[in-house]
Amino acid sequence: MDRPGLADFLRARREALRPTDVGLPEGPRRRTPGLRREEVAARTGMSTDYLARLEQRRGPQPSEAMLTALARALHLSLDERDHLFRLAGHRPPPRGHRSDHVPPAVLRILDRLEDTPAIVVSELGEALVQNRLARALVGDESGFTGLRRSQYYRWFAEPETERALYPTEDHARQSRTLAAALRAALGSETSGRDARAIAERLAALSPEFVEIWAAHEVGVLPSRHKTLLHPELGPVEVDCQFLHTENHAQSLLLFTAAPGSPSDDKLRLLDTVATTRRG
C-alpha cells in the first residue's frame, strides 16, 4: 500500500470535482476547491474521519468494496480506478470479465436526477447504484451478495419477498421478461459466465423457472408501464425508461409518472419517505 500516493491521489481527485458535478449546489461559503470530505464520505458510506485518515497518510488499507465506492463517488475513469486500486495495494478488477464500474458520464446524469427515482443496473439485473428516491421507492438493494445481487435470481429463488413489489396479475409477465433477459445475458462476453451460473442454480431451485426456461423465449421486452406496491404509499403507477451504455452492459433506469396524476404526487412524497426511514 502506497499511503502517500493514495493520500495525494484521493485529495487531488476530491478537489478536482465541483459540487455541481455530483448534483450539489455550489454554495456561497466554500473556502476550499472541490468537494468537502464529508460530501465524499456520505457518497461512499464511510465516515468522514476514515476518509480524513486516508488523506493524511495514516489510514488502514481500504477494502476492494470501499475502493469501488470511492471510485464512484469521485467519478473516476477506468484507468483512474485501476490506479486507485494499485495505490491501495490491491490488484485492479480484470477488465476482460464483467465490471461493476459505472462510467463517470452515467454517474453525472444520476447525480442530477434529484426529483426522479433512478437506478444503474447491470445486464444481470444487479442494482449497481441507486439514488435516494429509488431506494425509497423499491428498497435498498446494495446489501445483496453473490447470486442474490441479481434480480433475475431473487425473483425465482425468493418469490415471497421479491414479488411483494408487484401486483399478482403482473407476476407471470415479469417472470417471462426476466427469464428472457437472463437468456440474453448468456451471450455476453462480460457476463455470460455469471448468467450461466444463475441459470444452473435456478434450474435446481425453481420449477417455475425450469418451465419458462424450456420455452427458450428471447426478446420479451420489459413493460414500460408498471404498478409498484409501495409499503407506505400504496400502488404507484410508473413509466420505466432505460438509457443504455454504449456496450449495453449497464442501463440507467428511470421511474416517472404522468404529471398531475396521483402517482406523480406519491413520487413527490418519496423524499419524505426517505427522510423518515433514515430517522
Side-chain angles (χ1 to χ4, degrees), residues 2 9 12 38 44 64 88 93 111 114 119 122 128 144 151-152 166 180 187 200 213-214 223 236 238 247 260 270 272:
D2 180 358
F9 183 67
E38 57 266 29
T44 60
E64 293 184 5
D111 288 333
E114 297 181 357
I119 309 173
S122 75
L128 302 179
F144 294 118
Q151 185 196 18
Y152 308 158
Y166 294 85
E200 291 175 351
W213 194 250
S223 174
V236 184
V238 294
N247 62 357
L270 287 176
T272 301

Side-chain angles (χ1 to χ4, degrees), residues 214-268:
H216 287 267
E217 285 189 301
V218 294
V220 182
L221 298 179
S223 174
R224 298 300 183 184
H225 185 81
K226 293 182 178 181
T227 298
L228 302 178
L229 304 180
H230 193 275
E232 287 117 328
L233 302 177
V236 184
E237 295 185 16
V238 294
D239 294 312
C240 305
Q241 297 295 326
F242 290 87
L243 304 177
H244 302 286
T245 56
E246 188 173 349
N247 62 357
H248 280 236
Q250 297 174 2
S251 302
L252 178 60
L253 170 59
L254 311 177
F255 298 95
T256 61
S261 67
S263 290
D264 186 43
D265 294 336
K266 291 179 181 180
L267 290 184
R268 296 177 187 277

